[in-house]
Amino acid sequence: MNTQYTQYGQQPQPSDSLSTPKPPTRYYPSSGASQTSRGAAQPGLQPVANPVAPSAATGRSSGPRHSAAVRPPMRLADANPARLPETAIDTADGGNIILCLSASGGVGLSVCASMLALALSERGHACALMDADRTRGGLDVLLGLEREQGMRMSDVEAPLGRLEGDALRQELPKWGNVSVLAADPWNGEPAQWWELEAAVAALSQVHDLVVVDGGDGRGLEQVPSLARAAILLVVEMSVLGLARARTLIGGIGGPVRTGDTAGPLWLLGVHPRGMPRRAPRLDAGQAEAYLHHRVEDAIEPKPSLCAALLDGMGVERIPREYRKTYDALAELVERETGHARGTA
């Protein structure tokens, strides 16, 4: 009989069904219970195997520590965002931010955002990839960076909504030449809106371009910088997927985008996984007629890439079949943001 956990810290309950797998936990080399980013002990989490033994003379570990910084308790202003003065929050103008959204789950949004960031980096731009999917996250796991030291969103503390861009960049793990700030809600409470805003603003100050994985956009309407960003909407090429995308384009459930300050909107179609090869498919023209918006391309899922992700191998490169699509998207981004190819 298997044991099943419903939440971290709860006692195991017997279950006849298979246990639900959990995302990998970033462990801390300490004795007893680990600590989450909020500083609370979690009896259900175990320390890393073979932790570095402390020195008898100093009481400190004699070797390297494989842990991320534990986040101190929130300040009073952080606990009450109404106390944050408007002038204390750094905001970006959104001119170098690309927000990636999708109205359909499982369409491969995080993969699309990652490949766009990689394509921009390969064209000579200093690029950051940020995970703003507050409740799911896991971008570092997707890219195979879960064992890399560096900050995640649970480690970010933004007193009065401010972060120092250079300091943040130096603390982030790298995926090739791309700085990655992943969300890890299983290690603490989801990031608050002012923490997301501070991170976006800081990254945009020290990078040419910032690609943000925003999930379905819920909860991001409070983040001012994202309301002015360019949007890449990844659309599932199915009847239901188009209906959901049309709703999101209309502004329901997505970031608030009003006036002349909103950036451009690009659409990328992705055909559903598991469709029979000879099954009829919606094409870009049909999607454009329904959505009243241009679809840049419609790509097929790549089985070998899906298998690598399911096996935990991560994304290593842009597949040859997708190269033309992502190069074209990168050119759109360059044209909109004014970044000539080869500048960093």
Side-chain angles (χ1 to χ4, degrees):
M1 185 152 43
N2 299 310
T3 46
Q4 185 175 5
Y5 292 83
T6 55
Q7 292 181 359
Y8 288 140
Q10 290 186 353
Q11 295 298 322
Q13 300 295 330
S15 172
D16 293 329
S17 61
L18 294 176
S19 298
T20 303
K22 294 181 213 172
T25 306
R26 292 191 294 136
Y27 297 123
Y28 296 84
S30 59
S31 60
S34 303
Q35 286 186 332
T36 67
S37 60
R38 302 291 180 178
Q42 297 293 324
L45 305 182
Q46 299 298 325
V48 294
N50 301 321
V52 179
S55 167
T58 64
R60 297 180 180 178
S61 298
S62 57
R65 294 175 59 88
H66 300 283
S67 66
V70 178
R71 180 177 179 169
M74 290 189 301
R75 292 175 170 81
L76 181 60
D78 285 346
N80 185 0
R83 293 192 170 201
L84 295 175
E86 292 183 4
T87 56
I89 300 178
D90 287 332
T91 59
D93 61 12
N96 63 341
I97 301 171
I98 304 94
L99 175 61
C100 300
L101 299 175
S102 179
S104 302
V107 73
L109 171 65
S110 296
V111 176
C112 293
S114 301
M115 290 187 181
L116 176 58
L118 183 58
L120 292 168
S121 174
E122 291 174 348
R123 296 167 76 89
H125 305 295
C127 191
L129 178 61
M130 177 177 163
D131 196 348
D133 194 346
R134 299 173 61 250
T135 58
R136 290 178 290 186
L139 192 56
D140 55 343
V141 181
L142 178 76
L143 300 177
L145 302 176
E146 67 272 18
R147 296 185 181 275
E148 296 292 329
Q149 292 197 57
M151 292 186 67
R152 273 65 170 178
M153 279 304 304
S154 65
D155 303 313
V156 171
E157 183 184 1
L160 296 179
R162 293 181 183 274
L163 287 174
E164 208 284 315
D166 282 326
L168 177 60
R169 177 172 58 179
Q170 293 174 11
E171 293 292 332
L172 295 181
K174 297 294 190 295
W175 179 51
N177 292 323
V178 179
S179 303
V180 179
L181 177 56
D184 55 342
W186 50 85
N187 280 325
E189 300 174 14
Q192 302 296 326
W193 70 266
W194 61 92
E195 295 169 331
L196 293 175
E197 176 62 39
V200 171
L203 292 174
S204 67
Q205 292 167 5
V206 294
H207 293 86
D208 296 331
L209 297 161
V210 180
V211 179
V212 179
D213 178 358
D216 59 7
R218 283 182 289 184
L220 301 183
E221 63 276 358
Q222 295 176 298
V223 183
S225 298
L226 298 183
R228 299 186 290 270
I231 285 184
L232 174 64
L233 180 61
V234 179
V235 180
E236 182 184 80
M237 297 293 285
S238 66
V239 173
L240 180 57
L242 293 184
R244 289 172 172 171
R246 185 168 176 172
T247 301
L248 186 56
I249 291 173
I252 301 176
V256 177
R257 295 168 57 80
T258 58
D260 298 331
T261 60
L265 173 64
W266 304 303
L267 270 57
L268 173 64
V270 177
H271 292 287
R273 292 196 298 265
M275 288 187 65
R277 181 172 299 180
R278 296 185 178 180
R281 283 165 165 72
L282 295 174
D283 57 30
Q286 292 172 311
E288 290 174 357
Y290 181 77
L291 298 174
H292 305 293
H293 201 285
R294 174 181 169 79
V295 177
E296 303 301 330
D297 200 358
I299 61 178
E300 292 280 353
K302 186 174 173 58
S304 60
L305 177 60
C306 296
L309 295 175
L310 292 175
D311 289 341
M313 301 301 294
V315 179
E316 295 183 358
R317 64 182 65 89
I318 300 175
R320 178 176 53 83
E321 297 87 341
Y322 297 164
R323 173 58 66 179
K324 182 178 179 180
T325 297
Y326 285 100
D327 281 345
L329 288 173
E331 289 179 3
L332 287 175
V333 172
E334 289 175 331
R335 191 179 312 133
E336 178 63 29
T337 60
H339 285 84
R341 180 171 181 173
T343 61

